[in-house]
Amino acid sequence: MMMMKKFVALFAAMLILQLSARPAPAGAGGNLPRPADAPGGHRGGVVLALSGGGTKGFAHLGVLKVLEREKIPIAGIVGVSIGSVIGGLYACGYSVDEIHEIVDQTNIMGLLADSGTRLKPDAGDHRPIGEMARLYYRDFDKNFKPSGPLGVLPAVSFASFLTKYTGHIQTTDFGELPIPFACVATDLGTGEEVVMRDGSLASSIRASASIPGLLEPWPIGGRLLVDGGLVANVPVLVAKEIFPGYPVIAVNLAGESIAKANDRFDSVLDVMLQMIDIMTIDRIRANESAADLVLYPDVGMYSMLDPSGYDDIYQRGLDAAEAKVESMIAISASAPLPPPERAGSRSARVVRSVEIRGLNVSHASDIEKNYEHWIGKPYDVEAVNDALGKISRLDEVATVDVDAHPSGEGSADVDVVFSVEKRPAFEIAVDGYTSSMHPHRWIGFSMNARDLSSDGDAANLNVRLGNGEWGADVRYFTPLVRNGQWGFSVRAEKEDLSLLGMEDYTLERYSARAIYYIEKMDGYRLGVGMAGEYADALGAYDRFSWGPYLYFNMDTLDNLLIPSRGYSLNSQIWWNDSDTLVSRTSLTAYVPWKSDLHFMLNLGLDTGSGNNPAYRALLGSKEELFSLARYPLAGDQSAWARIGFGRDFYNSWWGAVRGEVFATYGMIMEDWAMTGDAWETGIALSVPGQLLSGRLILAYSSDDEFVFGFTVGNPTWHPSPLP
């Protein structure tokens, strides 16, 4: 009996000693391993290190799908470049299927090709010339020394896309996301590795994905950041440091060997990526050797920014994970418990101040007033991200980042700071336009200048020279203060007109106008002012006219160059002293249909005076109907409607190849009674892009004739019948 008591006491002492030696639960100073034979089995947490690789990164989704299916918890994610995009969205709480749907519904190449939807044609300052196709483009600083651009693509829309899909997360601490997250970027100035674990999630991901030479670097915290692949394309060591004690599964899109056959280099971007891999191979191997498991999806046949094959890339990621599923299960079986899932919110934090940095004081103060109602209320990341998008759409803003830092040491309250990088002091561009369907062709020069007489003002010069035609205008805008600014313009031009059924004539115009604009940050711009013009046509209509001028613009298009959804409404009205209502109104709308098609609608109305050559409403002069482009119809009023269905056959960073079937109807009127009409139907193949734009058109007209032609460049039509 005594022996039994001693045995029981010894067993109890050993049991107590064993329990006391176990690690504490995660979050309490240690990690609690889950035995493989526990209910549910192999359910310990793993950390993912997701590499860069452009659109080949959709293979990450395939790996995540296998982890979801096997119910292997993810204790943390560290991403680089596309790995930060996929990993960041997943860490926010999106499932693989939801991210897959987002990718299917998003024109990824269009996001990169576009730099924002800030086109407001009436104001040269509000039409950043660097965002349109051009033959030559250059930035200069205030001393007129070349200053950029630092990347082919500003990719403002890409940042807006990230803001849209991460805005529901109510925290700036990435460790508080549903899955703790970090991403890696490179300091362009020092070459240092920058690990981002707090701040704006969208901006951090955008910085990590700033492919050198292609995407503009992204400023955060006084640093100019580029792609993290330059320092840690497979960020295993960062993952080990941030999430100690957890096994790390790495996904390397470059493959087991960086050696590639020559026929696998499809573009200069592939060469750039290969050079990065070669220069950082030692770091890549050091990171891989620290991983518990490395997956190599077989995606080497795809280029860095391949616009097709997303589903196949996804499947190849899934295949790579399937081949190692037993290894992942074994790693998970001996892994610590993952931390408890976070809600991704800290509603207790209260906003104490809102500040705009990088703009002139009056403009910054004006914007700050829009968000004074935040002060004293809980920090709302969704509202902050919405403000981030609105500020980024201002013309003078190149990039904007947001930081919410503690108001003081140990304080739970925050000061919200928007840090703005302004657009260059000077921008110059050379562009041109030609068409086989009419004689109007030209080459043009544009220059934007900012901060001339005061911070926040802007001026724009446009010159156009063509075959027997010319035009020039200068515009100046005062600083935008409390959503309002003055705009002044002077214009001169000469054009030759050949109208159907009328004698040819030359029209010369010299005009000036002053308008006060009200611009709301939710997308519309309203202007009221006066305009005057001297016009001379046929030697008999040389007179000066003046009167009130109205302007309205609203634009919700998702993409400036390659739109697929949203609308743009523009209306300009001038009532001159000859009692003529001169106006031009147009509406363009795009509605996505299914996954790869869109419906397009264009409506337009011009009003003027058919008896006055200077203010005739023309139908066809601006290619409203291609069959009338050479010999337009003229009257008091003209109206047209075009409907079409389009599809993008190819998308890349430089633009797209878009096919469209269309039908157009137009009519000409006198005193609002129709005096003539025309219609056409046809197909068009267009190539809208940053570097070059062009179209091929085949149309059948109401005259029982086929019209075949091409255009190259973006037209900058004269504003007639407006001054």
Side-chain angles (χ1 to χ4, degrees), residues 276-304:
I276 291 172
D277 286 344
I278 291 172
M279 291 185 294
T280 61
I281 186 62
D282 291 339
R283 294 182 183 180
I284 292 174
R285 295 295 179 249
N287 276 273
E288 286 184 327
S289 64
D292 295 84
L293 178 66
V294 183
L295 304 180
Y296 299 100
D298 184 17
V299 291
M301 71 290 300
Y302 289 99
S303 65
M304 184 180 182

PDB file of all heavy atoms in Angstrom, residues 276-304:
ATOM      1  N   ILE A 276      16.530  40.911 -61.903  1.00  0.00           N
ATOM      2  CA  ILE A 276      16.338  41.021 -60.457  1.00  0.00           C
ATOM      3  C   ILE A 276      16.635  39.683 -59.792  1.00  0.00           C
ATOM      4  O   ILE A 276      17.307  39.611 -58.750  1.00  0.00           O
ATOM      5  CB  ILE A 276      14.913  41.500 -60.142  1.00  0.00           C
ATOM      6  CG1 ILE A 276      14.728  42.949 -60.582  1.00  0.00           C
ATOM      7  CG2 ILE A 276      14.618  41.368 -58.645  1.00  0.00           C
ATOM      8  CD1 ILE A 276      13.301  43.444 -60.475  1.00  0.00           C
ATOM      9  N   ASP A 277      16.130  38.596 -60.389  1.00  0.00           N
ATOM     10  CA  ASP A 277      16.375  37.266 -59.815  1.00  0.00           C
ATOM     11  C   ASP A 277      17.861  36.939 -59.806  1.00  0.00           C
ATOM     12  O   ASP A 277      18.378  36.359 -58.844  1.00  0.00           O
ATOM     13  CB  ASP A 277      15.611  36.210 -60.607  1.00  0.00           C
ATOM     14  CG  ASP A 277      14.115  36.243 -60.336  1.00  0.00           C
ATOM     15  OD1 ASP A 277      13.722  36.857 -59.327  1.00  0.00           O
ATOM     16  OD2 ASP A 277      13.345  35.674 -61.134  1.00  0.00           O
ATOM     17  N   ILE A 278      18.559  37.286 -60.899  1.00  0.00           N
ATOM     18  CA  ILE A 278      19.996  37.003 -60.975  1.00  0.00           C
ATOM     19  C   ILE A 278      20.755  37.784 -59.907  1.00  0.00           C
ATOM     20  O   ILE A 278      21.620  37.241 -59.201  1.00  0.00           O
ATOM     21  CB  ILE A 278      20.529  37.339 -62.378  1.00  0.00           C
ATOM     22  CG1 ILE A 278      19.963  36.357 -63.410  1.00  0.00           C
ATOM     23  CG2 ILE A 278      22.052  37.304 -62.402  1.00  0.00           C
ATOM     24  CD1 ILE A 278      20.278  36.722 -64.848  1.00  0.00           C
ATOM     25  N   MET A 279      20.434  39.068 -59.768  1.00  0.00           N
ATOM     26  CA  MET A 279      21.158  39.915 -58.819  1.00  0.00           C
ATOM     27  C   MET A 279      20.858  39.558 -57.367  1.00  0.00           C
ATOM     28  O   MET A 279      21.662  39.820 -56.477  1.00  0.00           O
ATOM     29  CB  MET A 279      20.824  41.384 -59.081  1.00  0.00           C
ATOM     30  CG  MET A 279      21.377  41.919 -60.394  1.00  0.00           C
ATOM     31  SD  MET A 279      21.101  43.702 -60.605  1.00  0.00           S
ATOM     32  CE  MET A 279      19.309  43.764 -60.717  1.00  0.00           C
ATOM     33  N   THR A 280      19.715  38.953 -57.118  1.00  0.00           N
ATOM     34  CA  THR A 280      19.312  38.652 -55.737  1.00  0.00           C
ATOM     35  C   THR A 280      19.272  37.155 -55.465  1.00  0.00           C
ATOM     36  O   THR A 280      18.666  36.733 -54.489  1.00  0.00           O
ATOM     37  CB  THR A 280      17.931  39.267 -55.445  1.00  0.00           C
ATOM     38  OG1 THR A 280      16.952  38.689 -56.334  1.00  0.00           O
ATOM     39  CG2 THR A 280      17.953  40.769 -55.638  1.00  0.00           C
ATOM     40  N   ILE A 281      19.931  36.344 -56.321  1.00  0.00           N
ATOM     41  CA  ILE A 281      19.834  34.903 -56.181  1.00  0.00           C
ATOM     42  C   ILE A 281      20.327  34.421 -54.822  1.00  0.00           C
ATOM     43  O   ILE A 281      19.771  33.478 -54.242  1.00  0.00           O
ATOM     44  CB  ILE A 281      20.595  34.194 -57.337  1.00  0.00           C
ATOM     45  CG1 ILE A 281      20.360  32.686 -57.279  1.00  0.00           C
ATOM     46  CG2 ILE A 281      22.063  34.544 -57.309  1.00  0.00           C
ATOM     47  CD1 ILE A 281      18.934  32.279 -57.456  1.00  0.00           C
ATOM     48  N   ASP A 282      21.400  35.041 -54.294  1.00  0.00           N
ATOM     49  CA  ASP A 282      21.913  34.615 -52.996  1.00  0.00           C
ATOM     50  C   ASP A 282      20.875  34.839 -51.897  1.00  0.00           C
ATOM     51  O   ASP A 282      20.707  33.996 -51.008  1.00  0.00           O
ATOM     52  CB  ASP A 282      23.201  35.365 -52.659  1.00  0.00           C
ATOM     53  CG  ASP A 282      24.358  34.958 -53.562  1.00  0.00           C
ATOM     54  OD1 ASP A 282      24.281  33.865 -54.155  1.00  0.00           O
ATOM     55  OD2 ASP A 282      25.329  35.743 -53.682  1.00  0.00           O
ATOM     56  N   ARG A 283      20.181  35.977 -51.955  1.00  0.00           N
ATOM     57  CA  ARG A 283      19.139  36.250 -50.955  1.00  0.00           C
ATOM     58  C   ARG A 283      17.973  35.285 -51.118  1.00  0.00           C
ATOM     59  O   ARG A 283      17.385  34.830 -50.138  1.00  0.00           O
ATOM     60  CB  ARG A 283      18.650  37.686 -51.087  1.00  0.00           C
ATOM     61  CG  ARG A 283      19.706  38.728 -50.743  1.00  0.00           C
ATOM     62  CD  ARG A 283      19.129  40.133 -50.860  1.00  0.00           C
ATOM     63  NE  ARG A 283      20.134  41.150 -50.593  1.00  0.00           N
ATOM     64  CZ  ARG A 283      19.900  42.457 -50.628  1.00  0.00           C
ATOM     65  NH1 ARG A 283      18.690  42.902 -50.925  1.00  0.00           N
ATOM     66  NH2 ARG A 283      20.866  43.314 -50.367  1.00  0.00           N
ATOM     67  N   ILE A 284      17.622  34.990 -52.378  1.00  0.00           N
ATOM     68  CA  ILE A 284      16.519  34.059 -52.617  1.00  0.00           C
ATOM     69  C   ILE A 284      16.851  32.693 -52.038  1.00  0.00           C
ATOM     70  O   ILE A 284      16.027  32.072 -51.346  1.00  0.00           O
ATOM     71  CB  ILE A 284      16.231  33.952 -54.128  1.00  0.00           C
ATOM     72  CG1 ILE A 284      15.654  35.270 -54.654  1.00  0.00           C
ATOM     73  CG2 ILE A 284      15.263  32.802 -54.410  1.00  0.00           C
ATOM     74  CD1 ILE A 284      15.468  35.301 -56.158  1.00  0.00           C
ATOM     75  N   ARG A 285      18.069  32.206 -52.293  1.00  0.00           N
ATOM     76  CA  ARG A 285      18.453  30.893 -51.784  1.00  0.00           C
ATOM     77  C   ARG A 285      18.527  30.886 -50.258  1.00  0.00           C
ATOM     78  O   ARG A 285      18.154  29.896 -49.616  1.00  0.00           O
ATOM     79  CB  ARG A 285      19.806  30.482 -52.381  1.00  0.00           C
ATOM     80  CG  ARG A 285      19.771  30.276 -53.888  1.00  0.00           C
ATOM     81  CD  ARG A 285      18.879  29.094 -54.264  1.00  0.00           C
ATOM     82  NE  ARG A 285      18.820  28.902 -55.717  1.00  0.00           N
ATOM     83  CZ  ARG A 285      17.742  29.116 -56.449  1.00  0.00           C
ATOM     84  NH1 ARG A 285      16.625  29.530 -55.872  1.00  0.00           N
ATOM     85  NH2 ARG A 285      17.760  28.920 -57.752  1.00  0.00           N
ATOM     86  N   ALA A 286      19.012  31.980 -49.662  1.00  0.00           N
ATOM     87  CA  ALA A 286      19.066  32.050 -48.199  1.00  0.00           C
ATOM     88  C   ALA A 286      17.664  31.997 -47.601  1.00  0.00           C
ATOM     89  O   ALA A 286      17.439  31.351 -46.569  1.00  0.00           O
ATOM     90  CB  ALA A 286      19.789  33.327 -47.764  1.00  0.00           C
ATOM     91  N   ASN A 287      16.720  32.663 -48.233  1.00  0.00           N
ATOM     92  CA  ASN A 287      15.340  32.633 -47.750  1.00  0.00           C
ATOM     93  C   ASN A 287      14.729  31.254 -47.949  1.00  0.00           C
ATOM     94  O   ASN A 287      14.047  30.731 -47.062  1.00  0.00           O
ATOM     95  CB  ASN A 287      14.507  33.692 -48.474  1.00  0.00           C
ATOM     96  CG  ASN A 287      14.616  35.068 -47.857  1.00  0.00           C
ATOM     97  OD1 ASN A 287      13.879  35.408 -46.940  1.00  0.00           O
ATOM     98  ND2 ASN A 287      15.558  35.863 -48.360  1.00  0.00           N
ATOM     99  N   GLU A 288      14.963  30.641 -49.106  1.00  0.00           N
ATOM    100  CA  GLU A 288      14.395  29.323 -49.362  1.00  0.00           C
ATOM    101  C   GLU A 288      14.914  28.292 -48.366  1.00  0.00           C
ATOM    102  O   GLU A 288      14.159  27.433 -47.894  1.00  0.00           O
ATOM    103  CB  GLU A 288      14.729  28.879 -50.786  1.00  0.00           C
ATOM    104  CG  GLU A 288      13.936  29.597 -51.861  1.00  0.00           C
ATOM    105  CD  GLU A 288      14.241  29.055 -53.248  1.00  0.00           C
ATOM    106  OE1 GLU A 288      15.385  28.647 -53.492  1.00  0.00           O
ATOM    107  OE2 GLU A 288      13.301  29.037 -54.076  1.00  0.00           O
ATOM    108  N   SER A 289      16.211  28.369 -48.034  1.00  0.00           N
ATOM    109  CA  SER A 289      16.783  27.389 -47.111  1.00  0.00           C
ATOM    110  C   SER A 289      16.207  27.520 -45.709  1.00  0.00           C
ATOM    111  O   SER A 289      16.250  26.558 -44.930  1.00  0.00           O
ATOM    112  CB  SER A 289      18.304  27.549 -47.067  1.00  0.00           C
ATOM    113  OG  SER A 289      18.665  28.826 -46.550  1.00  0.00           O
ATOM    114  N   ALA A 290      15.664  28.692 -45.374  1.00  0.00           N
ATOM    115  CA  ALA A 290      15.067  28.886 -44.046  1.00  0.00           C
ATOM    116  C   ALA A 290      13.610  28.447 -43.988  1.00  0.00           C
ATOM    117  O   ALA A 290      13.026  28.386 -42.906  1.00  0.00           O
ATOM    118  CB  ALA A 290      15.181  30.356 -43.642  1.00  0.00           C
ATOM    119  N   ALA A 291      13.028  28.130 -45.150  1.00  0.00           N
ATOM    120  CA  ALA A 291      11.614  27.735 -45.184  1.00  0.00           C
ATOM    121  C   ALA A 291      11.452  26.276 -44.770  1.00  0.00           C
ATOM    122  O   ALA A 291      12.353  25.453 -44.946  1.00  0.00           O
ATOM    123  CB  ALA A 291      11.042  27.952 -46.578  1.00  0.00           C
ATOM    124  N   ASP A 292      10.294  25.948 -44.239  1.00  0.00           N
ATOM    125  CA  ASP A 292       9.971  24.561 -43.914  1.00  0.00           C
ATOM    126  C   ASP A 292       9.514  23.806 -45.152  1.00  0.00           C
ATOM    127  O   ASP A 292       9.632  22.582 -45.203  1.00  0.00           O
ATOM    128  CB  ASP A 292       8.882  24.532 -42.838  1.00  0.00           C
ATOM    129  CG  ASP A 292       9.368  25.114 -41.516  1.00  0.00           C
ATOM    130  OD1 ASP A 292       9.310  26.357 -41.368  1.00  0.00           O
ATOM    131  OD2 ASP A 292       9.813  24.352 -40.656  1.00  0.00           O
ATOM    132  N   LEU A 293       8.977  24.534 -46.128  1.00  0.00           N
ATOM    133  CA  LEU A 293       8.553  23.927 -47.382  1.00  0.00           C
ATOM    134  C   LEU A 293       8.500  25.024 -48.437  1.00  0.00           C
ATOM    135  O   LEU A 293       8.045  26.135 -48.157  1.00  0.00           O
ATOM    136  CB  LEU A 293       7.171  23.269 -47.233  1.00  0.00           C
ATOM    137  CG  LEU A 293       6.572  22.635 -48.489  1.00  0.00           C
ATOM    138  CD1 LEU A 293       7.402  21.432 -48.935  1.00  0.00           C
ATOM    139  CD2 LEU A 293       5.122  22.229 -48.254  1.00  0.00           C
ATOM    140  N   VAL A 294       8.973  24.718 -49.649  1.00  0.00           N
ATOM    141  CA  VAL A 294       8.914  25.674 -50.756  1.00  0.00           C
ATOM    142  C   VAL A 294       8.122  25.044 -51.887  1.00  0.00           C
ATOM    143  O   VAL A 294       8.409  23.905 -52.302  1.00  0.00           O
ATOM    144  CB  VAL A 294      10.316  26.065 -51.253  1.00  0.00           C
ATOM    145  CG1 VAL A 294      10.203  27.116 -52.368  1.00  0.00           C
ATOM    146  CG2 VAL A 294      11.175  26.607 -50.118  1.00  0.00           C
ATOM    147  N   LEU A 295       7.136  25.773 -52.397  1.00  0.00           N
ATOM    148  CA  LEU A 295       6.342  25.336 -53.541  1.00  0.00           C
ATOM    149  C   LEU A 295       6.778  26.123 -54.775  1.00  0.00           C
ATOM    150  O   LEU A 295       7.014  27.331 -54.703  1.00  0.00           O
ATOM    151  CB  LEU A 295       4.855  25.555 -53.286  1.00  0.00           C
ATOM    152  CG  LEU A 295       4.257  24.914 -52.034  1.00  0.00           C
ATOM    153  CD1 LEU A 295       2.764  25.234 -51.931  1.00  0.00           C
ATOM    154  CD2 LEU A 295       4.465  23.409 -52.045  1.00  0.00           C
ATOM    155  N   TYR A 296       6.853  25.399 -55.913  1.00  0.00           N
ATOM    156  CA  TYR A 296       7.273  26.025 -57.166  1.00  0.00           C
ATOM    157  C   TYR A 296       6.203  25.797 -58.231  1.00  0.00           C
ATOM    158  O   TYR A 296       6.280  24.842 -59.000  1.00  0.00           O
ATOM    159  CB  TYR A 296       8.596  25.426 -57.648  1.00  0.00           C
ATOM    160  CG  TYR A 296       9.758  25.600 -56.700  1.00  0.00           C
ATOM    161  CD1 TYR A 296      10.157  24.556 -55.867  1.00  0.00           C
ATOM    162  CD2 TYR A 296      10.462  26.793 -56.642  1.00  0.00           C
ATOM    163  CE1 TYR A 296      11.234  24.692 -55.012  1.00  0.00           C
ATOM    164  CE2 TYR A 296      11.543  26.952 -55.784  1.00  0.00           C
ATOM    165  CZ  TYR A 296      11.921  25.893 -54.964  1.00  0.00           C
ATOM    166  OH  TYR A 296      12.993  26.041 -54.112  1.00  0.00           O
ATOM    167  N   PRO A 297       5.165  26.650 -58.292  1.00  0.00           N
ATOM    168  CA  PRO A 297       4.169  26.490 -59.366  1.00  0.00           C
ATOM    169  C   PRO A 297       4.830  26.588 -60.742  1.00  0.00           C
ATOM    170  O   PRO A 297       5.715  27.430 -60.960  1.00  0.00           O
ATOM    171  CB  PRO A 297       3.204  27.660 -59.126  1.00  0.00           C
ATOM    172  CG  PRO A 297       3.374  27.997 -57.677  1.00  0.00           C
ATOM    173  CD  PRO A 297       4.821  27.743 -57.371  1.00  0.00           C
ATOM    174  N   ASP A 298       4.420  25.751 -61.651  1.00  0.00           N
ATOM    175  CA  ASP A 298       5.004  25.703 -62.992  1.00  0.00           C
ATOM    176  C   ASP A 298       4.361  26.769 -63.870  1.00  0.00           C
ATOM    177  O   ASP A 298       3.474  26.508 -64.674  1.00  0.00           O
ATOM    178  CB  ASP A 298       4.793  24.312 -63.590  1.00  0.00           C
ATOM    179  CG  ASP A 298       5.461  24.168 -64.960  1.00  0.00           C
ATOM    180  OD1 ASP A 298       6.329  25.005 -65.272  1.00  0.00           O
ATOM    181  OD2 ASP A 298       5.091  23.234 -65.703  1.00  0.00           O
ATOM    182  N   VAL A 299       4.850  28.014 -63.722  1.00  0.00           N
ATOM    183  CA  VAL A 299       4.267  29.141 -64.457  1.00  0.00           C
ATOM    184  C   VAL A 299       5.317  29.857 -65.299  1.00  0.00           C
ATOM    185  O   VAL A 299       5.110  30.991 -65.725  1.00  0.00           O
ATOM    186  CB  VAL A 299       3.596  30.140 -63.490  1.00  0.00           C
ATOM    187  CG1 VAL A 299       2.358  29.538 -62.855  1.00  0.00           C
ATOM    188  CG2 VAL A 299       4.579  30.601 -62.410  1.00  0.00           C
ATOM    189  N   GLY A 300       6.437  29.190 -65.540  1.00  0.00           N
ATOM    190  CA  GLY A 300       7.524  29.824 -66.272  1.00  0.00           C
ATOM    191  C   GLY A 300       7.192  30.167 -67.705  1.00  0.00           C
ATOM    192  O   GLY A 300       7.854  31.009 -68.318  1.00  0.00           O
ATOM    193  N   MET A 301       6.168  29.510 -68.271  1.00  0.00           N
ATOM    194  CA  MET A 301       5.815  29.795 -69.674  1.00  0.00           C
ATOM    195  C   MET A 301       5.031  31.094 -69.814  1.00  0.00           C
ATOM    196  O   MET A 301       4.782  31.553 -70.927  1.00  0.00           O
ATOM    197  CB  MET A 301       5.006  28.634 -70.264  1.00  0.00           C
ATOM    198  CG  MET A 301       3.592  28.489 -69.722  1.00  0.00           C
ATOM    199  SD  MET A 301       3.557  27.926 -67.997  1.00  0.00           S
ATOM    200  CE  MET A 301       4.400  26.360 -68.158  1.00  0.00           C
ATOM    201  N   TYR A 302       4.639  31.698 -68.711  1.00  0.00           N
ATOM    202  CA  TYR A 302       3.886  32.952 -68.756  1.00  0.00           C
ATOM    203  C   TYR A 302       4.822  34.130 -68.509  1.00  0.00           C
ATOM    204  O   TYR A 302       5.765  34.047 -67.725  1.00  0.00           O
ATOM    205  CB  TYR A 302       2.770  32.953 -67.713  1.00  0.00           C
ATOM    206  CG  TYR A 302       1.637  32.021 -68.058  1.00  0.00           C
ATOM    207  CD1 TYR A 302       1.553  30.754 -67.478  1.00  0.00           C
ATOM    208  CD2 TYR A 302       0.673  32.392 -68.980  1.00  0.00           C
ATOM    209  CE1 TYR A 302       0.517  29.891 -67.806  1.00  0.00           C
ATOM    210  CE2 TYR A 302      -0.365  31.537 -69.311  1.00  0.00           C
ATOM    211  CZ  TYR A 302      -0.431  30.285 -68.725  1.00  0.00           C
ATOM    212  OH  TYR A 302      -1.457  29.439 -69.064  1.00  0.00           O
ATOM    213  N   SER A 303       4.542  35.237 -69.173  1.00  0.00           N
ATOM    214  CA  SER A 303       5.346  36.434 -68.978  1.00  0.00           C
ATOM    215  C   SER A 303       4.920  37.139 -67.698  1.00  0.00           C
ATOM    216  O   SER A 303       3.909  36.809 -67.086  1.00  0.00           O
ATOM    217  CB  SER A 303       5.209  37.382 -70.176  1.00  0.00           C
ATOM    218  OG  SER A 303       3.880  37.862 -70.279  1.00  0.00           O
ATOM    219  N   MET A 304       5.686  38.136 -67.337  1.00  0.00           N
ATOM    220  CA  MET A 304       5.482  38.827 -66.059  1.00  0.00           C
ATOM    221  C   MET A 304       4.121  39.505 -65.977  1.00  0.00           C
ATOM    222  O   MET A 304       3.491  39.523 -64.918  1.00  0.00           O
ATOM    223  CB  MET A 304       6.592  39.857 -65.870  1.00  0.00           C
ATOM    224  CG  MET A 304       6.571  40.580 -64.555  1.00  0.00           C
ATOM    225  SD  MET A 304       7.927  41.755 -64.482  1.00  0.00           S
ATOM    226  CE  MET A 304       7.715  42.413 -62.843  1.00  0.00           C
TER     227      MET A 304
END
